Amino acid sequence: AVSSVPVDAGAAMLLAMSDENAARILAGYRPHVAGPLIEAIAGSRPQAAGAILQIFSSKDAGRAVDHLTPRAAASIVGEMPIREAVRIISRTDARTAAGAIMELPSGFSAQLIRAMPSEQAVTILAYVNPAIVAALIGASDDLNGQLLKQLSPSFRELVMRHL
């Protein structure tokens, strides 16, 4: 079984399968087991990890992403269409989502934030470095008008120092 071998060997076994079979096997594992396997897959083939995650239910994908490093999460969701990335990121912990957003290219991060419901975006942005939030908001008039006023007053003040 994939879970009974070292993570790298398990990832290699999963990569040798179809995305559907790999997703079925991973979905049967608890998130703390599936996450490291998905991260190992992403280390060599982030597109494959993304394709596998997209087969998962939103809830299962979000829980698995919660067990990835921010860099691995970003490498995976950065290869997905925005709609799929939002579907998965929206089911992760806000801190996990924030970590991925800080690792993603700013253009992709701005698209991701713009595609989320504003309440969710504000919750996630509260965990993002204020300078990065300022860059995201400053690069987009619709984000600036929509989100800046929804940030908490103390965080908004920190963000505005960078605008």
Side-chain angles (χ1 to χ4, degrees):
V2 172
S3 64
S4 65
V5 297
V7 171
D8 289 341
M13 291 168 69
L14 291 164
L15 280 168
M17 302 175 189
S18 70
D19 293 344
E20 292 78 14
N21 284 341
R24 185 177 43 74
I25 288 169
L26 286 166
Y29 294 142
R30 297 183 66 98
H32 72 277
V33 175
L37 288 164
I38 292 167
E39 183 158 339
I41 292 168
S44 61
R45 297 205 14 231
Q47 298 93 343
I52 291 166
L53 269 181
Q54 289 177 69
I55 296 168
F56 279 38
S57 70
S58 299
K59 181 173 119 182
D60 288 344
R63 286 182 176 166
V65 170
D66 280 337
H67 292 273
L68 303 178
T69 63
R71 180 163 289 164
S75 75
I76 294 168
V77 300
E79 296 292 332
M80 294 180 183
I82 289 292
R83 189 167 157 227
E84 280 296 296
V86 168
R87 177 181 74 85
I88 292 169
I89 286 291
S90 70
R91 297 304 297 252
T92 65
D93 177 77
R95 287 178 179 89
T96 301
I101 284 168
M102 288 189 281
E103 291 285 339
L104 285 163
S106 60
F108 192 89
S109 290
Q111 289 178 22
L112 198 57
I113 293 295
R114 203 175 10 258
M116 290 178 188
S118 62
E119 184 177 306
Q120 180 182 27
V122 167
T123 299
I124 291 169
L125 289 175
Y127 296 102
V128 173
N129 179 308
I132 294 172
V133 174
L136 293 172
I137 287 176
S140 172
D141 288 340
D142 52 325
L143 283 181
N144 190 337
Q146 176 187 21
L147 295 177
L148 188 58
K149 62 186 171 214
Q150 293 179 47
L151 298 173
S152 73
S154 58
F155 190 66
R156 184 180 330 122
E157 185 178 320
L158 292 172
V159 170
M160 291 183 71
R161 290 181 190 168
H162 298 280
L163 285 174

